[in-house]
Amino acid sequence: MAYGLLKGKRGIISGALDENSIAWKVALKAKEEGATFTLTNAPIAMRMGAINELAKVCDAQIIPADATSVEDIEKLYTQSMDVLGGKVDFVLHSIGMSANIRKGKEYGDLNYDWYLKSLDVSSLSLHKFLQVAEKMDAINEWGSVVALSYIAAQRTYPFYTDMAEAKAMLESIARSFGYRYGKAKNVRVNTISQSPTKTTAGSGIGGFDAFYEFAEKMSPLGNATADDCANYTISLFSDLTRMVTMQNLFHDGGYSSTGISEELVQMIQNQNKA
Ligand code: NAI
């Protein structure tokens, strides 16, 4: 059901790779809620071509941009403002990549060039999105910027390796820039810390299926889906949350506040009996 929450709002949505992507679902909901927006992804991701389908459905223009390139991001804002007919009201940062994870490197054997790349792609890129926007004055007053994080920023998940630091940095940038941009233009910056979700980035992490199931059993509401995450993101882009900023918001069915669940206790007891 649509509520017209983003009626008249303009935005930029990054990170829609295929129909499983969280950003893909956000784009569909943003359209449903009345927004107009541009879609962006790394030029290399365009080769998959799926984003063209999404662009058609959403009546959105695609503007390729490597999130590590300030020049690309400048073009992204310039062209978006051109196409949309004015400054933007919301930006979704839905970008993450670790070559160390992709290549199965353990935390004690990380390749440091790749480590730096993980931080550049997954965290610094949020700073670049914000710094460029501020310099270009590309986001309207009371605009909202949302980036996606994971609880490995606060707690150790051995298989998450260098992405744990990347997410900790991402959340820190959201706080620091949120302060600055809030003072300057009332622009809000938040991160959503999402449940494990079956996407290309998610499933690439070692042991993903096991910790997906673990989180499912641990959370009183179960894991939050990509669709649920899209709904929450839309609420943060809307005026209903205009005083929320500099927060890391857990969107995880209660996982982050649960010590252990009855299901998991039961599983271990059954295992011990067997
Ligand atoms: P996804 O693989 O669909 O999206 C990741 C996106 O990052 C892709 O579209 C990819 O092309 C883009 N990207 C990678 N390098 C880029 C670059 N240099 N420039 C521009 N874009 C680039 O996977 P998903 O899960 O939708 O990921 C979106 C965000 O959600 C990521 O930040 C991820 O870490 C975060 N997240 C995912 C969770 C999961 O379990 N899937 C859980 C919590 C957070």
Side-chain angles (χ1 to χ4, degrees):
M1 194 166 117
Y3 305 90
L5 286 176
L6 303 185
K7 208 167 159 219
K9 292 197 188 292
R10 297 182 276 253
I12 298 175
I13 295 179
S14 69
L17 184 67
D18 58 32
E19 61 182 5
N20 299 316
S21 300
I22 296 168
W24 188 286
K25 315 281 188 195
V26 173
L28 292 178
K29 301 255 180 215
K31 172 76 181 164
E32 232 174 85
E33 293 298 332
T36 52
F37 49 86
T38 55
L39 293 168
T40 184
N41 210 325
I44 199 164
M46 302 292 163
R47 283 200 218 138
M48 284 182 55
I51 197 172
N52 294 316
E53 279 168 47
L54 181 67
K56 218 183 270 171
V57 178
C58 295
D59 200 13
Q61 194 150 318
I62 303 168
I63 303 169
D66 180 339
T68 63
S69 158
V70 167
E71 202 189 327
D72 280 11
I73 298 169
E74 284 166 353
K75 281 190 204 143
L76 172 63
Y77 282 114
T78 306
Q79 289 178 25
S80 295
M81 288 193 284
D82 226 34
V83 170
L84 301 170
K87 293 190 212 179
V88 299
D89 301 290
F90 64 86
V91 178
L92 177 68
H93 179 286
S94 188
I95 299 168
M97 197 282 299
S98 161
N100 279 307
I101 288 185
R102 269 201 203 162
K103 310 224 163 121
K105 286 283 203 181
E106 274 189 59
Y107 195 63
D109 184 33
L110 295 180
N111 173 307
Y112 289 117
D113 291 332
W114 298 344
Y115 197 149
L116 288 173
K117 188 76 184 165
S118 299
L119 298 178
D120 198 9
V121 172
S122 315
S123 330
L124 268 189
S125 58
L126 175 64
H127 196 283
K128 290 175 184 172
F129 267 51
L130 289 162
Q131 182 164 300
V132 170
E134 191 195 10
K135 284 190 179 167
M136 292 177 70
D137 194 18
I139 303 182
N140 276 321
E141 291 252 345
W142 296 103
S144 171
V145 179
V146 170
L148 290 165
S149 193
Y150 184 59
I151 194 170
Q154 286 83 26
R155 300 197 205 156
T156 292
Y157 289 75
F159 301 114
Y160 210 62
T161 65
D162 55 357
M163 280 301 282
E165 278 85 45
K167 291 307 189 192
M169 188 193 266
L170 183 83
E171 292 176 14
S172 178
I173 290 170
R175 276 188 297 274
S176 303
F177 225 111
Y179 176 83
R180 182 184 166 84
Y181 222 159
K183 280 262 182 203
K185 293 270 166 177
N186 296 322
V187 168
R188 324 192 270 117
V189 188
N190 294 290
T191 48
I192 294 178
S193 186
Q194 164 67 6
S195 291
T197 315
K198 290 180 179 167
T199 62
T200 305
S203 313
I205 297 156
F208 178 83
D209 287 344
F211 75 72
Y212 178 89
E213 208 182 311
F214 172 77
E216 174 77 14
K217 290 197 162 41
M218 183 87 150
S219 318
L221 302 182
N223 285 330
T225 64
D227 269 314
D228 293 320
C229 187
N231 282 329
Y232 193 35
T233 306
I234 298 295
S235 78
L236 287 170
F237 288 160
S238 84
D239 294 334
L240 295 179
T241 52
R242 70 204 291 268
M243 297 308 283
V244 180
T245 193
M246 301 162 66
Q247 302 299 312
N248 177 49
L249 302 158
F250 288 103
H251 182 255
D252 62 2
Y255 174 86
S256 49
S257 289
T258 306
I260 192 158
S261 66
E262 286 141 310
E263 285 87 340
L264 285 167
V265 168
Q266 192 83 57
M267 265 177 72
I268 293 165
Q269 283 175 337
N270 290 346
Q271 203 181 25
N272 288 347
K273 269 190 226 152

